[in-house]
C-alpha cells in the first residue's frame, strides 16, 4: 500500500475551518488551503492543476466529512480501523508536507513494518514534482 501525503493521525477541524468549508467563502478557503500545499511545486504544474480543478463544495464536504463532522473519539476509532493492517502488508507513506517529527513512530506503532518518509521536494504533489524519483522509490520499496 502506498500513501501519498495523507496523514492518518487526524483530529476534528476547528469550528472556523468547518464554517469556511461549508459557507459562502468556500472557494476562497479551498484556494488558500491548496496554495499552501503547492509548496515547492513548479509554477507550470501549479497553473496546470489550477486550470483543471473544479471546486465543488458538495464533493469537498462529502470527502472531508470525517474531519468536518466527526468528534475526536469517532476519528480516533476510524484511525485505529484504518491502520489495522496485517503485519505482512507493505505500507509506504511518502510525505511531501511535514506530517510531524514523530509521525513515523506513531505510524509504525500502528502498522508494524510501515515506512514513512519525507520526499525531497516539499509539496502535497511529490508524484508530480519528481515523478522519476517517486516511481523509483515505490518500485524500490516493493522489490
Amino acid at each position: 500500500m502506498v500513501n501519498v501525503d495523507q496523514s492518518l493521525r487526524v483530529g476534528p477541524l476547528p469550528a472556523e475551518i468547518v464554517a469556511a468549508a461549508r459557507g459562502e467563502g468556500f472557494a476562497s478557503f479551498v484556494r488558500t488551503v491548496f496554495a499552501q500545499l503547492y509548496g515547492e511545486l513548479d509554477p507550470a504544474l501549479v497553473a496546470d492543476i489550477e486550470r483543471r480543478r473544479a471546486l465543488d463544495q458538495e464533493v469537498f464536504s462529502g470527502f472531508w466529512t470525517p474531519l468536518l463532522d466527526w468528534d475526536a473519539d469517532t476519528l480516533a476509532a476510524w484511525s485505529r480501523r484504518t491502520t489495522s493492517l496485517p503485519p505482512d502488508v507493505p505500507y509506504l507513506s511518502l510525505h511531501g508536507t511535514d506530517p510531524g517529527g514523530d509521525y513515523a513512530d506513531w505510524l509504525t506503532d500502528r502498522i508494524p513494518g510501515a515506512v514513512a518518509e519525507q520526499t525531497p521536494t516539499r509539496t502535497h504533489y511529490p508524484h508530480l514534482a519528481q515523478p522519476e524519483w517517486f516511481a523509483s522509490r515505490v518500485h524500490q520499496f516493493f522489490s
Side-chain angles (χ1 to χ4, degrees):
M1 183 174 295
V2 177
N3 175 330
V4 181
D5 208 51
Q6 296 295 316
S7 175
L8 298 178
R9 182 173 50 187
V10 295
L13 293 174
E16 60 272 9
I17 291 178
V18 173
R22 295 251 165 82
E24 290 181 24
F26 164 75
S28 294
F29 164 73
V30 172
R31 284 189 185 97
T32 300
V33 168
F34 281 108
Q36 294 171 2
L37 294 175
Y38 290 139
E40 299 172 355
L41 192 61
D42 182 300
L45 289 171
V46 170
D48 188 50
I49 290 169
E50 289 291 327
R51 190 172 35 259
R52 296 169 188 258
R53 175 173 291 126
L55 297 178
D56 185 311
Q57 192 169 16
E58 188 174 327
V59 171
F60 183 90
S61 291
F63 185 79
W64 281 56
T65 290
L67 299 177
L68 296 169
D69 295 338
W70 296 358
D71 61 40
D73 291 338
T74 304
L75 274 170
W78 170 85
S79 182
R80 281 190 301 278
R81 286 190 312 275
T82 301
T83 58
S84 294
L85 298 174
D88 61 336
V89 173
Y91 191 95
L92 176 62
S93 187
L94 295 175
H95 293 270
T97 55
D98 187 1
D102 64 340
Y103 184 73
D105 292 335
W106 179 90
L107 185 62
T108 56
D109 281 347
R110 283 146 185 84
I111 305 173
V115 173
E117 296 178 6
Q118 184 76 43
T119 62
T121 301
R122 302 301 186 237
T123 178
H124 184 61
Y125 305 91
H127 54 295
L128 298 178
Q130 293 184 297
E132 295 83 12
W133 174 88
F134 184 85
S136 172
R137 183 62 193 101
V138 171
H139 183 267
Q140 177 186 15
F141 181 77
F142 288 103
S143 294

